[in-house]
């Protein structure tokens, strides 16, 4: 949306193709999620984001971005998923979706990272009781649940489910709650673990999942716990295969970082740009709305300087 606004302000002909609803990734966040950022750091298009609370939640963000769309009347096609981006010999791009095909002189990919979970790759992960996305806690009330992970999504889910009456156990690969967990939440979960309200197995991992129980490999050996649901909130990753199929090189195999010019956001394919969280590859903590909003003006500025429109 920020790229569309920047293009519109410069009088460029543009189209936004969104695979789902408006701000689809934010829509799929947990219902009661609170952002780490304050409201002004989520603003785009120089339109103020008013929020009574110190930090906005998902519902307020959806309201804000809907109003942004109405204000700018953005040229956006919703529920139209891009399947391929291909540069032609004539230097134009062919963009194919599940509904139509388009030609463009420049293309910006801003697909984020929330569409593909990082899987556990253990037996039983395909059972219906295993969830890789978390919406809200009521479904898990009074049930035995395991939450995998120690990042923001895992901690939020563990605390909310516990407060709804679930019997919560956390399985954590490392020896502590991640330092990047929201500073007002981290002490809460650590205190709940210390007092025994939420059980935690550190330096541990799930090795098998069955209908009514789960096997966990711990430093003291393998244990089996009764279980009704597994929330495998182990993170998400960008669609790197989509980027590679478009010709974008992966410059760092360890972090799977796509190649781009940090001054212009242009990739190794001339005229093809990256914006937002997708730029970080597997380092999904590197870019957020608040520090990647500038990508839009950088990209549109480079497009205008190229003089090829």
């Amino acid at each position: 949306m920020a790229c569309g606004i920047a293009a519109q302000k410069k009088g460029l002909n543009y189209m936004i193709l969104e695979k789902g609803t408006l701000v689809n990734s934010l829509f799929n966040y947990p219902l009661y999620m609170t952002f780490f950022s304050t409201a002004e750091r989520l603003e785009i298009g120089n339109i103020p984001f008013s929020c009574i609370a110190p930090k906005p939640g998902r519902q307020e963000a959806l309201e804000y971005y809907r109003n942004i769309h109405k204000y700018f009347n953005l040229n956006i096609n919703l529920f139209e998923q891009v399947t391929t981006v291909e540069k032609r010999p004539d230097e134009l791009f062919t963009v194919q979706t599940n509904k139509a095909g388009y030609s463009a002189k420049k293309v910006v990919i801003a697909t984020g990272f929330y569409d593909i979970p990082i899987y556990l790759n253990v037996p039983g992960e395909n059972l219906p009781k295993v969830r890789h996305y978390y919406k809200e806690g009521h479904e898990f009330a009074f049930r035995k649940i395991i939450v995998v992970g120690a990042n923001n999504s895992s901690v939020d889910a563990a605390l909310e489910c516990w407060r709804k009456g679930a019997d919560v156990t956390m399985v954590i690969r490392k020896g502590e709650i991640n330092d990047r967990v929201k500073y007002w939440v981290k002490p809460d979960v650590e205190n709940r673990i210390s007092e025994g309200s939420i059980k935690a197995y550190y330096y541990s991992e799930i090795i098998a999942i069955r209908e009514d129980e789960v096997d966990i490999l711990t430093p003291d050996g393998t244990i089996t716990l009764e279980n009704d649901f597994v929330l495998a909130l182990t993170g998400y990753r960008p669609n790197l295969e989509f980027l590679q199929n478009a010709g974008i090189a992966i410059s760092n195999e360890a972090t799977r970082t796509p190649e781009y010019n940090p001054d212009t956001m242009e990739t190794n394919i001339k005229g093809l740009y990256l914006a937002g969280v997708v730029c970080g590859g597997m380092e999904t903590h590197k870019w957020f709305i608040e520090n990647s909003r500038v990508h839009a003006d950088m990209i549109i500025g480079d497009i205008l300087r190229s003089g090829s429109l």
Side-chain angles (χ1 to χ4, degrees):
M1 291 177 71
C3 290
I5 292 168
Q8 183 171 297
K9 286 183 174 181
K10 296 299 183 180
L12 301 181
N13 183 22
Y14 74 95
M15 173 183 286
I16 302 172
L17 297 170
E18 167 59 71
K19 70 176 291 184
T21 188
L22 191 72
V23 290
N24 191 64
S25 291
L26 299 189
F27 172 74
N28 286 309
Y29 283 178
L31 291 181
Y32 307 112
M33 192 211 76
T34 299
F35 283 86
F36 202 112
S37 306
T38 52
E40 69 273 10
R41 293 181 177 272
L42 301 178
E43 294 172 358
I44 59 175
N46 294 319
I47 303 300
F49 185 164
S50 298
C51 177
I52 296 175
K55 297 176 185 294
R58 168 187 174 274
Q59 294 292 82
E60 293 159 304
L62 294 181
E63 190 76 20
Y64 173 74
Y65 292 116
R66 281 200 306 271
N67 286 331
I68 287 289
H69 177 38
K70 287 195 291 185
Y71 181 84
F72 288 100
N73 190 25
L74 295 169
N75 182 23
I76 181 168
N77 289 7
L78 300 174
F79 295 96
E80 184 167 356
Q81 183 173 358
V82 175
T83 54
T84 58
V85 175
E86 182 179 359
K87 190 167 188 180
R88 308 195 307 242
D90 62 2
E91 296 299 304
L92 295 178
F93 290 91
T94 295
V95 179
Q96 185 65 46
T97 76
N98 60 339
K99 295 183 178 180
Y102 305 92
S103 292
K105 292 182 178 179
K106 309 286 184 180
V107 173
V108 180
I109 296 176
T111 48
F113 71 98
Y114 202 54
D115 290 335
I116 305 176
I118 297 174
Y119 293 103
L120 300 174
N121 294 318
V122 300
E125 189 172 10
N126 60 337
L127 290 172
K129 65 183 271 184
V130 180
R131 311 291 172 79
H132 292 283
Y133 291 90
Y134 171 77
K135 207 67 176 177
E136 57 106 10
H138 176 78
E139 179 183 8
F140 310 109
F142 314 115
R143 308 297 283 170
K144 296 180 184 298
I145 73 166
I146 288 176
V147 179
V148 184
N151 291 313
N152 278 298
S153 57
S154 304
V155 168
D156 285 346
L159 286 169
E160 186 176 329
C161 289
W162 171 71
R163 291 195 164 96
K164 296 293 189 292
D167 181 348
V168 179
T169 298
M170 299 184 72
V171 176
I172 300 168
R173 186 182 295 270
K174 296 182 179 180
E176 60 184 358
I177 299 297
N178 196 301
D179 285 338
R180 289 194 293 269
V181 169
K182 288 171 279 195
Y183 64 84
W184 65 93
V185 175
K186 190 170 185 284
D188 189 359
V189 71
E190 289 174 336
N191 287 336
R192 302 294 76 74
I193 292 170
S194 295
E195 71 187 16
S197 298
I198 293 175
K199 295 176 287 295
Y201 289 92
Y202 294 104
Y203 299 110
S204 301
E205 56 185 309
I206 288 179
I207 56 175
I209 302 169
R210 293 180 291 280
E211 286 288 352
D212 300 315
E213 56 189 18
V214 168
D215 292 338
I216 304 170
L217 181 61
T218 76
D220 298 321
T222 300
I223 64 171
T224 298
L225 298 182
E226 292 183 11
N227 173 257
D228 297 307
F229 291 98
V230 175
L231 302 182
L233 306 179
T234 48
Y236 309 91
R237 68 173 183 86
N239 190 340
L240 298 170
E241 295 77 16
F242 175 76
L243 300 185
Q244 290 177 300
N245 288 338
I248 298 174
I250 302 298
S251 61
N252 186 320
E253 285 301 322
T255 61
R256 305 288 288 156
T257 306
E259 187 174 311
Y260 65 92
N261 183 335
D263 296 321
T264 65
M265 309 310 296
E266 188 175 37
T267 68
N268 58 291
I269 305 297
K270 187 174 177 58
L272 182 57
Y273 297 82
L274 296 179
V277 177
V278 70
C279 300
M282 294 300 292
E283 293 185 303
T284 54
H285 61 277
K286 185 175 181 179
W287 294 104
F288 307 93
I289 296 174
E290 67 175 66
N291 67 352
S292 65
R293 296 174 298 170
V294 297
H295 291 172
D297 288 334
M298 293 166 64
I299 291 168
I300 299 305
D302 189 67
I303 290 173
L304 292 172
R305 286 191 297 272
S306 71
S308 59
L309 295 176

